[in-house]
Amino acid sequence: MSEFKALSLVPKAEAKQTLKDFKSDQEVRWCPGCGDYAILAAVQSFLPELGLRRENIVFVSGIGCSSRFPYYMNTYGFHSIHGRAPAIATGLAASRPDLSVWVVTGDGDALSIGGNHLIHALRRNVNLNILLFNNRIYGLTKGQYSPTSEIGKITKSTPMGSLDKPFNPISLAVGAEATFVARTIDSDRKHLQSVLREAAAHQGTSLVEIYQNCNIFNDNAFEPLKDPDTRGEVTVPLVHGQPIVFGAEGSKAVRRAPGGGVEVVPTASIAPEEILVHDARNPDPSLAFALSRLDEPAFEHVPIGIFRQIERPSYDSLMAAQLDEAVAAKGEGDLGELLMSGDTWRIG
């Protein structure tokens, strides 16, 4: 696990914390069986490891089922407006380096009305963590197809089947050159928490896509990844520095495809040196992007893990350095004096 240098400016708690410290007094109200419960429990039990003052942790959400999250956390929270959580979180992270800032959003909230805000938060590399709950459906508004729903999805808004090709959130994030991009799943707490640890330690924007089951409007959307009879053949584990092999006794492997990109082949059909060794620290995003397309088009092979984890200066640290440079050159300045100096003033 990386050192928590991203949290070096966040005040530490005076006493040891437990899961109970992060539970609010609000009744948790999601549909019975919703995957959000598992994610909430995983986050609440993980946060004590960070040892941060709860007053310096903030959860910002948009609109959707997942966006109730701040109510259930005994931290500060901001239930914001549709799609704008990354923009609001950017302001917080840039102005308050003493905060650990988390965005909780859904596939509809983040990838439809909020798509532009998401892309630019990733591009800027602001020091915040984005948890994108992906259930491939609009749950709060009762089951319309979402930007990640598969082609042909029958819903209330697409009774004859959806026509548009879905977004791949991992491809989108890698294309925006995000510095930390990962995928995990609600039902695997151990893996989910291991990804959260790396995301929290990362200096810059982390995007964690969490496959989350909506048992009311899109039940079993990720069943191949959960069913003990199929998950070993479908799940492609990504571990930095390790050969990408999976299946029964490592029967399948990933290699670079002759025509570009990557492909799945029987392990026995290739030489050991042809097996692709996962490199999440590669500054070139092309390989991470190719891995993100491995599940196309039939969800037959689904990579799970950290796709990209590179270092680049965060937007907020660069902004702070720029402000320090301006103050050193021109002095602190006096806003009150400026405002009272007349009807016009010159800046610069």
Side-chain angles (χ1 to χ4, degrees):
M1 184 180 69
S2 305
E3 295 295 326
F4 288 98
K5 62 181 180 180
L7 304 173
S8 60
L9 300 178
V10 183
K12 302 299 186 288
E14 295 180 358
K16 185 177 180 180
Q17 299 166 327
T18 68
L19 179 151
K20 291 183 178 179
D21 293 311
F22 287 91
K23 287 186 175 182
S24 77
D25 60 359
Q26 300 298 299
E27 179 188 0
V28 182
R29 299 185 65 182
W30 285 308
C31 299
C34 175
D36 288 356
Y37 285 98
I39 301 171
L40 175 65
V43 172
Q44 288 173 330
S45 58
F46 148 75
L47 283 176
E49 297 182 20
L50 302 182
L52 305 177
R53 291 178 73 243
R54 288 177 290 120
E55 295 85 354
N56 291 78
I57 300 174
V58 185
F59 282 85
V60 183
S61 65
I63 298 296
C65 295
S66 63
S67 296
R68 295 175 180 173
F69 210 90
Y71 294 104
Y72 309 140
M73 298 298 303
N74 193 18
T75 63
Y76 274 102
F78 197 133
H79 191 171
S80 70
I81 52 181
H82 206 188
R84 272 65 176 183
I88 292 169
T90 293
L92 270 176
S95 61
R96 291 286 303 274
D98 62 326
L99 298 179
S100 174
V101 182
W102 298 75
V103 170
V104 177
T105 184
D107 50 304
D109 183 56
L111 299 172
S112 55
I113 192 171
N116 204 42
H117 297 288
L118 176 68
I119 289 170
H120 291 294
L122 297 171
R123 176 182 66 85
R124 291 187 178 109
N125 199 37
V126 186
N127 193 26
L128 53 85
N129 309 289
I130 301 173
L131 307 182
L132 196 164
F133 296 19
N134 184 5
N135 56 22
R136 293 183 161 182
I137 204 77
Y138 276 103
L140 186 67
T141 51
K142 307 299 185 284
Q144 299 88 350
Y145 85 115
S146 86
T148 56
S149 295
E150 63 273 23
I151 294 175
K153 186 72 174 178
I154 303 294
T155 72
K156 294 175 182 179
S157 58
T158 54
M160 297 178 66
S162 59
L163 299 173
D164 44 325
K165 193 178 190 316
F167 263 138
N168 181 320
I170 300 297
S171 298
L172 183 72
V174 173
E177 297 208 39
T179 53
F180 184 101
V181 184
R183 176 188 288 145
T184 183
I185 190 164
D186 58 2
S187 58
D188 188 344
R189 178 181 288 200
K190 182 178 179 181
H191 188 268
L192 170 56
Q193 290 185 328
S194 70
V195 171
L196 291 177
R197 289 186 191 99
E198 294 293 336
H202 182 70
Q203 181 76 27
T205 304
S206 66
L207 184 284
V208 180
E209 179 189 24
I210 307 173
Y211 282 155
Q212 175 257 325
N213 192 50
C214 175
N215 58 314
I216 303 299
F217 297 110
N218 199 25
D219 198 18
N220 298 322
F222 306 111
E223 193 60 20
L225 295 169
K226 299 185 177 189
D227 187 337
D229 293 332
T230 58
R231 65 190 178 196
E233 299 299 316
V234 175
T235 304
V236 183
L238 300 180
V239 181
H240 177 71
Q242 295 297 315
I244 307 178
V245 295
F246 63 105
E249 299 182 355
S251 60
K252 299 178 183 180
V254 175
R255 70 169 182 180
R256 291 183 180 273
V262 296
E263 63 180 359
V264 173
V265 296
T267 305
S269 69
I270 59 175
E273 58 269 22
E274 291 184 72
I275 299 174
L276 183 64
V277 175
H278 184 47
D279 183 8
R281 316 280 165 75
N282 189 341
D284 182 354
S286 60
L287 188 56
F289 186 86
L291 287 170
S292 76
R293 313 303 293 175
L294 202 58
D295 61 352
E296 302 279 341
F299 208 64
E300 185 178 356
H301 304 117
V302 183
I304 297 288
I306 299 173
F307 290 75
R308 195 165 196 243
Q309 187 177 15
I310 67 166
E311 293 188 3
R312 194 173 78 227
S314 65
Y315 178 88
D316 38 306
S317 64
L318 293 173
M319 188 187 77
Q322 196 173 66
L323 290 173
D324 289 342
E325 182 181 346
V327 169
K330 299 185 179 182
E332 288 285 349
D334 187 324
L335 181 60
E337 181 182 348
L338 176 66
L339 293 175
M340 301 303 292
S341 62
D343 294 333
T344 61
W345 56 87
R346 180 173 298 179
I347 299 175

